[in-house]
Amino acid sequence: MEEQRQIEFAIASCLGRIHLVQPRDFTYLSLVATIEVLRQSLDKERALQNPMVDTKKHPSPQCSHPKKNGKPPVTNVNKPQEPPTLILIDSLTTLDASTWYQESLPTTSGSNRSSGGSGLSDRNEFYRQLIRLREEHEITILGASRSVPSVNNRANDQASRGISGGKRGSNSLWDKMVSHRVSLHHVAEGTSEDRAGYDFVATLNANDKEGARVFPYSVTAGGITSC
């Protein structure tokens, strides 16, 4: 009975650390507010677990950092240990049309910012808050995006790079956060994965110099099956 309670507690603890983030308006402002509420919630939970920790003393990280050896620098190495939190962003392409329009508007100076947009969509602010949250807490961020197939297969390239809509969907702040890019698509007819009976393939880091890693899988009533 005690073991069953421990299992139920572990499952509830894991599910309680999964947060789904979705846009609720035509700008990133609602997402910024969501991330701030989540940050305050994690701060409060950490304070309850460790009353000796003063969350106000943690320095605010900079919004962007140069990479060393292709990896972002490690910050806040003295932050207390805590269970990891998973943030699912569904999806990065939802606001593409409104973001493209708002970022194309001129600023008061009559021209767009050097970053390539007006900043009216609050897109960069959302990414800055994600970076801040990631450096203050143990979190993993999973951002989903959708690519529409096209005759010149540009969508496949966009999916492998984790961006959408060509140039307007790319963002340097987001690119600095990304460590893995996964593209999910149906298997191509006649491939080894197709002959093995799989329905889908997951392509990991397609642009790596070492080459992409391909993981075939199928979705059945019993769950996900893979090799």
Side-chain angles (χ1 to χ4, degrees):
M1 190 66 178
E2 182 64 25
E3 182 180 359
Q4 179 66 24
R5 289 181 178 178
Q6 291 179 355
I7 294 176
E8 292 177 354
F9 177 80
I11 294 176
S13 177
C14 292
L15 294 178
R17 296 195 304 273
I18 299 177
H19 299 268
L20 179 62
V21 177
Q22 294 178 308
R24 297 299 182 185
D25 53 27
F26 293 105
T27 71
Y28 281 86
L29 188 59
S30 63
L31 297 180
V32 172
T34 299
I35 294 302
E36 176 61 20
V37 170
L38 179 57
R39 185 185 65 81
Q40 294 184 15
S41 176
L42 293 176
D43 284 347
K44 185 178 300 183
E45 183 177 346
R46 181 164 61 189
L48 291 175
Q49 294 179 356
N50 189 353
M52 300 301 295
V53 176
D54 185 359
T55 57
K56 294 181 179 180
K57 292 183 179 180
H58 285 288
S60 299
Q62 298 297 319
C63 63
S64 62
H65 303 276
K67 293 182 179 180
K68 295 182 179 180
N69 299 325
K71 298 181 180 180
V74 178
T75 59
N76 285 0
V77 294
N78 295 322
K79 64 182 177 183
Q81 294 296 317
E82 60 184 82
T85 297
L86 175 63
I87 298 179
L88 303 176
I89 305 175
D90 181 23
S91 76
L92 294 172
T93 54
T94 301
L95 300 175
D96 265 4
S98 60
T99 298
W100 176 81
Y101 172 74
Q102 292 173 81
E103 293 297 324
S104 67
L105 295 175
T107 62
T108 55
S109 61
S111 60
N112 288 350
R113 297 179 180 178
S114 58
S115 59
S118 64
L120 296 177
S121 69
D122 291 313
R123 177 185 58 189
N124 285 345
E125 180 61 25
F126 171 62
Y127 291 138
R128 279 192 288 267
Q129 292 303 322
L130 276 180
I131 293 174
R132 177 188 179 191
L133 182 64
R134 185 187 65 173
E135 295 182 346
E136 291 184 355
H137 293 277
E138 295 293 341
I139 68 169
T140 298
I141 304 171
L142 177 59
S145 61
R146 173 179 293 184
S147 295
V148 180
S150 58
V151 293
N152 57 7
N153 292 326
R154 284 186 301 174
N156 291 335
D157 177 61
Q158 292 170 3
S160 66
R161 288 183 290 143
I163 66 175
S164 63
K167 181 178 180 181
R168 74 180 186 188
S170 61
N171 185 276
S172 58
L173 290 180
W174 174 257
D175 291 340
K176 291 179 180 179
M177 287 190 288
V178 173
S179 60
H180 297 78
R181 303 182 189 275
V182 181
S183 173
L184 306 179
H185 48 87
H186 287 277
V187 297
E189 186 176 354
T191 61
S192 59
E193 293 82 10
D194 179 44
R195 292 192 296 270
Y198 292 105
D199 298 319
F200 306 94
V201 292
T203 305
L204 174 63
N205 294 342
N207 289 344
D208 280 0
K209 295 181 180 179
E210 295 79 8
R213 299 175 61 189
V214 179
F215 302 89
Y217 68 97
S218 295
V219 180
T220 65
I224 298 177
T225 60
S226 183
C227 56

